[in-house]
Amino acid sequence: MNLVSTITQERNDPRYLQIFLLGSFLAYGLLFLQWSARLDVFAAAFVSSLVTQIIWAKWKGQPLSSIKSALISALGLCLLLRVDSVWVMALAGVATISSKFLIRHKGKHVFNPTNFGIILAILTGHAWISPGQWGHGETGMLLILLGATGILLRVKRWDLSLTFLTVLFGLESLRLIAYLGWDWPVVFHRFNSGTILLFAFFMITDPKTTPNSRKGRILWASMIALLSFFLGQFFYLYQAPLIALFIISFTTPLIDQVFKAERFKWIPKTQNI
């Protein structure tokens, strides 16, 4: 591959935009939302993720360009996960990256790596999700929505976010408005959260771990929304979407078997130039 082809392929890689956006969200949280951040914990997320990726890539003979995915995972951990000690974040980083190499079906990841690391960290009893850290301000929500639009158009996974939010909003509306008789602002307030928007636009849309076909993705996102609604409304689990994604990920190989389509590649093949 010549230098021009390499530059063209790298320029078309949507992961650069995703890294920039997630990094911007992290800076926004630290500078404007006054997150009580520990730099050593954030450093643990980056060091553990990147070093683990390099070790696995060297072992498997993969190019070091895959480190871009590890950087995205590290940013995801910093944005969503809160821990009470450095070792828990380091464990989450190692588990996040290692899951991509250890838990596969026909060469495809089974779990969303960041979701896997977060669930494992929570199970230690020393980690949690902080839904309120984003507040409910319009500026943060607008930044996430604008950024998400650019990413989803590049990776062609807007159907996942649209399906998840539509199904979950419909179910929440039926229960809260039609059944419990609450007001509409209650429903809108539940969706005006940076955590739920980050999950809907930047986690379940990971093209490497979602079903290959559009029909499969719509079914898959609907099941995540349904299980998330059930866990949130009847078991009062504030991490319901993350748990739902973890459980429904087991169905991805079966869905890919039923609805066959080409597997996603971060860098599509270029035409001869």
Side-chain angles (χ1 to χ4, degrees), residues 24-97:
S24 300
F25 297 155
L26 183 60
Y28 176 77
L30 293 172
L31 297 176
F32 295 100
L33 299 181
Q34 306 298 318
W35 288 352
S36 56
R38 285 177 52 185
L39 293 182
D40 56 343
V41 169
F42 283 175
F46 283 102
V47 171
S48 60
S49 298
L50 297 180
V51 170
T52 304
Q53 178 72 37
I54 291 171
I55 292 173
W56 277 110
K58 284 284 188 181
W59 190 10
K60 296 291 184 180
Q62 295 184 359
L64 289 180
S65 60
S66 61
I67 204 168
K68 288 172 283 189
S69 297
L71 189 53
I72 292 171
S73 297
L75 286 165
L77 291 174
C78 292
L79 287 168
L80 293 171
L81 185 64
R82 293 294 169 263
V83 300
D84 60 10
S85 61
V86 172
W87 73 267
V88 180
M89 185 61 90
L91 173 66
V94 172
T96 293
I97 302 303

Side-chain angles (χ1 to χ4, degrees), residues 141 165 168-169 172 187-193 196-197:
M141 306 305 113
L165 290 174
L168 186 60
F169 185 82
E172 296 267 2
V187 180
F188 291 124
H189 181 78
R190 298 171 71 90
F191 285 83
N192 186 19
S193 160
I196 192 71
L197 293 181

